[in-house]
Amino acid sequence: MSDMVMGQGPFDMKYFLSGALAGGICCSITHGGLVPVDVVKTKIQLQPDVYNKGFIGGFGQVIAKEGTGGLLTGLGPTAQGYFIQGWFKFGGVEFFKINITRKVGEETAWNNKTPIYLLSSAMAEFIADIFLCPYEACRIRLVSDPSYAESMVGCAQKMMAESGFVGAFYSGFVPILFKQIPYTMAKFAVQGKAADSIYGALGASPDQPPAIGNLGVSLASGVVAGVAAAIISHPADTLLSKINKGGAGGDGSMFQRMGNIVAETGLMKLCTTGLGARCVMIGTLTAGQFGIFDIIMNATGAAKFHFHDPKKLH
C-alpha cells in the first residue's frame, strides 16, 4: 500500500504520531488556558441561583468567595486529561480520514468529504472519551466543591473509595459521549467546510495560501466551527456538569438520575444556561486548537492532509 494519498504524504507512523502529539499539545494548552472561564461556566451551570450576575460578574463572585486561586480549580486534571483526549482525537481524526480515503478511493472520498469528517471524528472522539472521562469527573467535583480534596490524586482516591471505580469515574460517560461526539463531529465537519469556503472565496488553496496564510484560515474557520459545536453540545455539557455534582439527580441508575436532572432543570434552561459563556469559550478554544495544531505539525515537518479533487491533481 502506498503511503501517498491524493498526491500528499507520506502518511506513515511518523505522520500519525506527529498528529497525535500536535493534538495533545493544542488541547492541553487551550483547555488549560481557559480553565478560569470553565470554572465560572461550570459554577453558573451548577448554582444558577447563586452565580446569577452573568459571565463577567461570575469571575468577581468566584474571586470574592475563593480568592484568585479559585479560578484555577481543576487545572491539573484539565491539562492532563485534555492532552490525552487531544492525542486520540486529533491523531484519530487524521488516522481515520486518511485510511477511509484509502479504503473507498480518492474520487469517492472527494465526493463524500463531510461524511468522512463526521465518521472519523465520531470514532476518534469515542476512543478519546474513554480516557478523558475520569479526569473530567475529578475536575467537576473539585470545581463544585473546592474543599473536597487537596489534589487531583486525592480527589480520585476519595471518589473511588466512596463510589467504586465505575461509579466515581464513569457515571458521566454517557453524558460526555452525548456532549463530546456531536461537538467533535460539528467541530471537524464545520471547520473543514468553513476552510474550503474561505479558500474558495479568496481564490486560494492550502497549496497556494491566501494573504492571511493557511494559519489564518485555520483560525477563522476554527471560530465558526467552535460556535456551531458549542450550541450543538451545550445541553449535554450542562447535564454532565450537574451529574458529576455530589447527590445530583437523586438515587437510581445513571439514566434515572439524568432524567431527574432534566425534569428538575427544564429543557430550556438545560439548553441556554451558560450558553453565551460557552460560545465565547469554545469559539476561542477551537480557533486556538486548529492554529496550534497547524504550527506544531509544521514544526515536526508533517504537512497536514487536505482533501483535494483527484481530477485536478498533477
Side-chain angles (χ1 to χ4, degrees), residues 10 12-26 86-87 90-91 94 292-304:
D12 50 14
M13 185 57 70
K14 178 182 179 294
Y15 176 84
F16 295 122
L17 286 174
S18 297
L21 178 64
I25 292 171
C26 77
W87 176 281
F90 276 83
E94 291 300 308
I292 294 168
F293 182 83
D294 281 11
I295 290 168
I296 295 171
M297 286 289 276
N298 289 336
T300 63
K304 185 181 172 184

Side-chain angles (χ1 to χ4, degrees), residues 34 38 78 96 118 150 159 174 226 242 265 294 298 305:
L34 284 167
D38 208 27
T78 297
F96 287 125
L118 292 170
E150 290 293 317
M159 285 173 68
V174 172
K242 288 182 178 292
T265 310
D294 281 11
N298 289 336
F305 172 77

